[in-house]
Amino acid sequence: LVGSEMCIRDSSLCLLIFLDSTGAGVIYPIMPELFLNPIYGLITHQELFSRSLMYGLAFALFPLGGLLGMPILGALSDQYSRRKILLIGLAGLVFSYSIGATAVFIKDPFIFLLSRLLSGFFIGTYTVASAAISDISSNPKEKMFHFKWAMLASVVGFIIGPLIGATASLGPKQEALILPFLISLFLSVLNFALIFIIFPKTRATKLTNSFPIIVGKQLEYITHIFRRKYVFMRRSYFLFQFGLGLYIQSISIFLAKAYQYKSGEIGLFFVTMGIAISINALIIEPFLNKKFSIRVTVIIGIIITSLMYFIQGLIVIIDDFFLLKLSSIIWIASFISYMFFPLASIGFQATFSATEKRDNQGVIMGGSGQIKSLSWFMAGLLVGVLLHSHESTLLIISAICLLLSIKGFLKL
């Protein structure tokens, strides 16, 4: 790609990821109220335990959709070009957010769960964007550099998204729970229009004219990441994402239960954590990337993040005994973990990408997204099951999983 075309492509990809993340982040602050509020929420008659299980399922179905969507959309982008599949994925997101808004309006939890599954499938556009980023990177450190800006775009989206969601939730309750989905819907429409207009048209890296042949290869795409050569990387990445997924998918409900946080306070928490990831992208990652190898930076990120999860688990136990309400320490430990976990996340992505040639980047990025989706799906189910256990349980399990992921990564 020439310089100007590469700049346009980079900018459009970052914009895509930013708007996707904003749309997804808008919904996070209202999730506890959607399932645990017996008056305005989706469920008004079941026992609390049933509502908790549905809450966990709502988080679990999103990555389950990604488990299928990421490898399929990623591989199809190798066949039909990144631009076409990005547009298809964004059209799917528009449809899924429409279903979500409808479900909240009519208070139907099962339609809402369907919308989460569809959203997860079509969020595979992130995988296509990652493959496009890999196309313009020639070595692992360069890939890590480009992935860093993609993550920063995602972070800015997650800063603004929860802030919008938290602000929207201040209105009349029924409307407040619907408005975030309408905002996400609007952002997806905007994203579609912008990609259609500014993303450069590119040729597919593989030309296949027979649609039945492509459909027949879907099983191959889905199982590609489970080949023997990825066994240690797959195991390590699964444990890392499982621990991370446990933490991120439970933190909203944890803050609501342990410290009685409302949507606005949860939104502020995510905004603050987004700032922490920005610090990583602008200061920490560039510094460590110059000093150490990718392997060392990944291990540093995992160790510090797991230590912060352990600290939060211990703080919750101390709070139970002494009633000190040490929520400020939870914020500090979370802030530090959010500054360092991207080192591991980006490092894993760069390592996966380096295992395949340019014309197979959609497949391998889809495969890595598939492992992430599988781990987050299982983590979401565990959140629903353990929601009524002690608040420290999920935090400590998260920390242990992150530490265990180091063993497999050292064998790469």
Side-chain angles (χ1 to χ4, degrees), residues 46-78:
Q46 278 95 335
E47 295 296 324
L48 179 62
F49 185 66
S50 298
R51 282 189 259 127
S52 299
L53 284 178
M54 293 287 277
Y55 175 87
L57 190 58
F59 272 110
L61 285 175
F62 186 85
L64 178 62
L67 181 64
L68 299 174
M70 288 188 175
I72 291 175
L73 293 179
L76 288 177
S77 74
D78 287 338

Coordinates of all heavy atoms in Angstrom, one line a residue, residues 46-78:
Q46 N -39.2 -14.0 38.3 CA -38.4 -15.1 38.8 C -37.7 -14.7 40.1 O -37.5 -13.5 40.5 CB -37.3 -15.5 37.8 CG -37.8 -16.4 36.7 CD -38.3 -15.6 35.5 OE1 -38.6 -14.4 35.6 NE2 -38.3 -16.3 34.4
E47 N -37.2 -15.7 40.8 CA -36.4 -15.5 42.0 C -35.0 -14.9 41.6 O -34.6 -14.9 40.5 CB -36.1 -16.9 42.7 CG -37.4 -17.5 43.3 CD -38.0 -16.7 44.4 OE1 -37.3 -16.0 45.1 OE2 -39.3 -16.6 44.4
L48 N -34.4 -14.3 42.6 CA -33.1 -13.6 42.4 C -32.1 -14.6 41.7 O -31.3 -14.2 40.8 CB -32.5 -13.1 43.7 CG -31.2 -12.4 43.6 CD1 -31.3 -11.2 42.7 CD2 -30.7 -12.0 45.0
F49 N -32.1 -15.9 42.2 CA -31.1 -16.8 41.6 C -31.3 -17.0 40.1 O -30.4 -17.1 39.4 CB -31.2 -18.2 42.3 CG -30.2 -19.2 41.9 CD1 -28.9 -19.0 42.2 CD2 -30.6 -20.3 41.3 CE1 -27.9 -19.9 41.9 CE2 -29.6 -21.2 40.9 CZ -28.3 -21.0 41.2
S50 N -32.6 -17.1 39.7 CA -32.8 -17.2 38.2 C -32.4 -16.0 37.5 O -31.8 -16.1 36.4 CB -34.3 -17.4 38.0 OG -34.8 -18.6 38.6
R51 N -32.6 -14.8 38.1 CA -32.2 -13.6 37.4 C -30.7 -13.5 37.3 O -30.1 -13.1 36.3 CB -32.7 -12.3 38.2 CG -34.2 -12.1 37.9 CD -34.6 -10.7 38.5 NE -35.3 -11.0 39.7 CZ -35.1 -10.4 40.9 NH1 -34.1 -9.6 41.0 NH2 -35.8 -10.7 42.0
S52 N -30.0 -14.0 38.3 CA -28.5 -14.1 38.3 C -28.0 -15.0 37.2 O -27.0 -14.7 36.5 CB -28.0 -14.5 39.7 OG -28.4 -13.6 40.7
L53 N -28.7 -16.1 37.1 CA -28.2 -17.1 36.0 C -28.5 -16.4 34.6 O -27.6 -16.6 33.7 CB -29.0 -18.4 36.1 CG -28.6 -19.3 37.2 CD1 -29.5 -20.6 37.3 CD2 -27.1 -19.7 37.1
M54 N -29.6 -15.7 34.5 CA -29.8 -15.1 33.2 C -28.8 -14.0 32.9 O -28.4 -13.8 31.8 CB -31.3 -14.5 33.2 CG -32.4 -15.5 33.2 SD -32.5 -16.4 31.7 CE -33.6 -15.3 30.8
Y55 N -28.4 -13.3 34.0 CA -27.4 -12.3 33.8 C -26.1 -12.9 33.3 O -25.5 -12.4 32.4 CB -27.1 -11.6 35.2 CG -26.0 -10.6 35.2 CD1 -26.3 -9.3 34.9 CD2 -24.7 -10.9 35.6 CE1 -25.2 -8.3 34.9 CE2 -23.7 -10.0 35.6 CZ -24.0 -8.7 35.3 OH -22.9 -7.8 35.3
G56 N -25.7 -14.0 33.9 CA -24.5 -14.7 33.5 C -24.6 -15.2 32.0 O -23.7 -15.1 31.2
L57 N -25.8 -15.7 31.7 CA -26.1 -16.2 30.3 C -26.0 -15.1 29.3 O -25.5 -15.3 28.2 CB -27.4 -16.9 30.3 CG -27.8 -17.7 29.0 CD1 -26.7 -18.8 28.8 CD2 -29.2 -18.3 29.1
A58 N -26.5 -13.9 29.7 CA -26.5 -12.7 28.8 C -25.0 -12.4 28.4 O -24.7 -12.0 27.3 CB -27.2 -11.5 29.4
F59 N -24.1 -12.5 29.4 CA -22.7 -12.2 29.1 C -22.1 -13.4 28.3 O -21.3 -13.2 27.4 CB -21.9 -12.0 30.4 CG -21.9 -10.6 30.8 CD1 -22.6 -10.2 31.9 CD2 -21.2 -9.6 30.1 CE1 -22.6 -8.9 32.3 CE2 -21.2 -8.3 30.5 CZ -21.9 -7.9 31.6
A60 N -22.5 -14.7 28.6 CA -21.9 -15.8 28.0 C -22.3 -16.0 26.5 O -21.5 -16.4 25.7 CB -22.3 -17.1 28.8
L61 N -23.5 -15.6 26.2 CA -24.0 -15.8 24.8 C -23.2 -14.8 23.8 O -23.1 -15.2 22.7 CB -25.5 -15.5 24.7 CG -26.4 -16.6 25.2 CD1 -27.8 -16.3 25.2 CD2 -26.1 -17.9 24.5
F62 N -22.8 -13.7 24.3 CA -22.1 -12.8 23.5 C -20.8 -13.4 22.9 O -20.6 -13.5 21.7 CB -21.8 -11.5 24.2 CG -21.2 -10.4 23.4 CD1 -21.9 -9.5 22.6 CD2 -19.8 -10.2 23.4 CE1 -21.4 -8.5 21.9 CE2 -19.2 -9.2 22.6 CZ -20.0 -8.4 21.8
P63 N -19.9 -13.9 23.8 CA -18.7 -14.6 23.2 C -19.0 -15.9 22.5 O -18.2 -16.4 21.7 CB -17.8 -14.8 24.5 CG -18.8 -14.8 25.6 CD -19.8 -13.8 25.2
L64 N -20.1 -16.6 22.9 CA -20.5 -17.8 22.2 C -20.8 -17.5 20.7 O -20.4 -18.2 19.8 CB -21.8 -18.4 22.8 CG -22.3 -19.7 22.1 CD1 -21.2 -20.8 22.1 CD2 -23.6 -20.2 22.7
G65 N -21.5 -16.4 20.5 CA -21.7 -15.9 19.1 C -20.3 -15.6 18.4 O -20.1 -16.0 17.2
G66 N -19.4 -15.0 19.2 CA -18.1 -14.7 18.6 C -17.3 -16.0 18.3 O -16.5 -16.0 17.4
L67 N -17.6 -17.1 19.0 CA -16.9 -18.3 18.8 C -17.1 -18.8 17.4 O -16.2 -19.4 16.8 CB -17.4 -19.4 19.8 CG -16.8 -20.8 19.8 CD1 -15.3 -20.7 20.1 CD2 -17.6 -21.7 20.7
L68 N -18.3 -18.5 16.8 CA -18.6 -18.9 15.5 C -18.3 -17.8 14.5 O -17.8 -18.0 13.4 CB -20.1 -19.3 15.4 CG -20.5 -20.5 16.2 CD1 -22.0 -20.7 16.1 CD2 -19.8 -21.8 15.7
G69 N -18.7 -16.5 14.9 CA -18.6 -15.4 14.0 C -17.2 -15.0 13.7 O -16.9 -14.6 12.5
M70 N -16.3 -15.1 14.7 CA -14.9 -14.6 14.4 C -14.2 -15.4 13.4 O -13.6 -14.9 12.5 CB -14.2 -14.5 15.7 CG -14.6 -13.3 16.6 SD -13.6 -13.1 18.0 CE -14.3 -11.6 18.7
P71 N -14.1 -16.8 13.5 CA -13.4 -17.5 12.5 C -14.1 -17.5 11.1 O -13.4 -17.4 10.1 CB -13.4 -19.0 13.0 CG -14.5 -19.0 14.0 CD -14.6 -17.7 14.6
I72 N -15.4 -17.4 11.1 CA -16.1 -17.4 9.8 C -15.9 -16.1 9.1 O -15.6 -16.0 7.9 CB -17.6 -17.7 10.0 CG1 -17.8 -19.2 10.4 CG2 -18.4 -17.5 8.7 CD1 -19.2 -19.6 10.8
L73 N -16.2 -15.0 9.8 CA -16.0 -13.7 9.2 C -14.6 -13.4 8.8 O -14.3 -12.8 7.8 CB -16.6 -12.6 10.1 CG -18.1 -12.6 10.4 CD1 -18.4 -11.5 11.3 CD2 -18.8 -12.4 9.1
G74 N -13.7 -13.8 9.7 CA -12.2 -13.6 9.4 C -11.8 -14.4 8.2 O -11.1 -13.8 7.3
A75 N -12.2 -15.6 8.1 CA -11.8 -16.4 6.9 C -12.5 -15.9 5.6 O -11.9 -15.9 4.5 CB -12.2 -17.9 7.1
L76 N -13.8 -15.5 5.7 CA -14.5 -15.0 4.6 C -13.8 -13.7 4.1 O -13.9 -13.4 2.9 CB -15.9 -14.8 4.9 CG -16.8 -16.0 5.0 CD1 -18.2 -15.7 5.4 CD2 -16.8 -16.8 3.7
S77 N -13.2 -12.9 5.0 CA -12.5 -11.7 4.6 C -11.3 -12.0 3.8 O -10.9 -11.2 3.0 CB -12.2 -10.8 5.8 OG -11.1 -11.4 6.5
D78 N -10.7 -13.2 4.0 CA -9.6 -13.6 3.1 C -10.1 -13.9 1.7 O -9.4 -13.8 0.7 CB -8.9 -14.9 3.7 CG -8.1 -14.6 4.9 OD1 -7.6 -13.4 5.1 OD2 -7.8 -15.5 5.7

